[in-house]
């Protein structure tokens, strides 16, 4: 319950920061975006996770957007029977760069996004990397997408590695 409360508080802070940043709309090309994602089990053991991220991006042209983001990812249960260490209730801090390409087809805006960056385990101080390709639709200020989350972390203090791939879906809101 405390972890859910922390995630909710962080989401409110990220949205508030996005609203403050969005007040200066005259810059036109800059935009903040808040996303909520859910990752589904992708291996032989549970890997479901939830994430809330904030992206601060720049629209290069009508089709291409780039940005930098961070947030929080919560993994309530990782079956660690194949590891020598306990991995329940993990909280990760992702830091990533994103490139988004979208096209207009009869008033519909499908897109392809690729995110890449690092993941940091806040409980055991593990560092790793992540790659997340995604496809979806832009609908007004909202985006709905589905993609793959590939994460690999190294736990130096416990002498192990953790890598997992999950299918993830998400919803984003751009402050324009």
């Amino acid at each position: 319950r405390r972890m859910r409360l922390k995630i909710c508080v962080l989401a409110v802070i990220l949205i508030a920061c996005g609203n403050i940043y969005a007040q200066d709309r005259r810059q036109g090309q800059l935009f903040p975006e808040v996303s909520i994602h859910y990752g589904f089990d992708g291996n032989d053991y549970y890997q479901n996770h939830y994430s809330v991220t904030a992206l601060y991006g720049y629209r290069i042209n009508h089709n291409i957007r780039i940005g930098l983001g961070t947030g929080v990812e919560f993994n309530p249960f990782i079956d660690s029977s194949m590891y020598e260490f306990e991995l329940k209730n993990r909280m990760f801090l992702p830091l990533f760069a994103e490139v988004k390409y979208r096209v207009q087809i009869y008033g519909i805006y499908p897109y392809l996004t690729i995110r890449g960056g690092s993941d940091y385990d806040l409980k055991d101080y593990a560092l790793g990397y992540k790659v997340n390709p995604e496809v979806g639709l832009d609908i007004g200020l909202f985006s709905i997408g589905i993609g793959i989350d590939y994460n690999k972390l190294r736990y130096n203090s416990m002498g192990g590695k953790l890598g997992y791939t999950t299918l993830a879906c998400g919803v984003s809101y751009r402050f324009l």
Side-chain angles (χ1 to χ4, degrees):
R1 289 185 185 206
R2 290 180 59 179
M3 200 60 68
R4 288 183 189 168
L5 178 62
K6 288 178 184 179
I7 291 173
C8 290
V9 168
L10 182 62
V12 169
I13 291 169
L14 291 173
I15 290 170
C17 290
N19 278 330
I20 291 168
Y21 185 79
Q23 297 302 316
D24 189 9
R25 297 181 197 183
R26 293 188 179 104
Q27 292 182 359
Q29 299 295 335
L30 296 171
F31 66 93
E33 181 174 288
V34 175
S35 301
I36 298 172
H37 283 90
Y38 176 72
F40 299 93
D41 180 22
N43 292 319
D44 295 333
Y45 49 91
Y46 263 38
Q47 288 297 345
N48 297 349
H49 64 275
Y50 314 89
S51 67
V52 177
T53 59
L55 172 81
Y56 296 97
Y58 180 76
R59 186 174 46 230
I60 294 174
N61 60 36
H62 185 68
N63 295 335
I64 300 173
R65 298 175 179 177
I66 59 173
L68 298 174
T70 187
V72 65
E73 182 177 305
F74 177 66
N75 203 326
F77 179 73
I78 298 176
D79 181 4
S80 57
S81 60
M82 58 192 287
Y83 300 101
E84 298 175 5
F85 47 91
E86 185 61 41
L87 291 173
K88 292 183 180 179
N89 297 322
R90 304 314 253 192
M91 176 122 6
F92 300 101
L93 174 70
L95 300 170
F96 59 90
E98 176 181 288
V99 176
K100 183 176 188 176
Y101 178 76
R102 70 180 202 155
V103 295
Q104 181 180 6
I105 303 172
Y106 302 111
I108 299 172
Y109 293 94
Y111 68 83
L112 171 65
T113 297
I114 183 94
R115 283 182 210 97
S118 64
D119 243 351
Y120 184 71
D121 186 334
L122 298 175
K123 188 172 182 180
D124 286 313
Y125 313 110
L127 186 61
Y129 63 90
K130 66 186 312 151
V131 177
N132 311 113
E134 178 179 293
V135 294
L137 291 173
D138 281 343
I139 304 167
L141 296 177
F142 289 92
S143 296
I144 299 171
I146 189 164
I148 297 172
D149 284 350
Y150 176 77
N151 297 284
K152 187 109 177 165
L153 289 111
R154 181 178 191 85
Y155 289 88
N156 290 331
S157 63
M158 294 178 274
K161 293 181 182 177
L162 170 68
Y164 61 91
T165 303
T166 60
L167 183 64
C169 62
V171 177
S172 301
Y173 179 77
R174 266 181 324 283
F175 298 92
L176 290 177

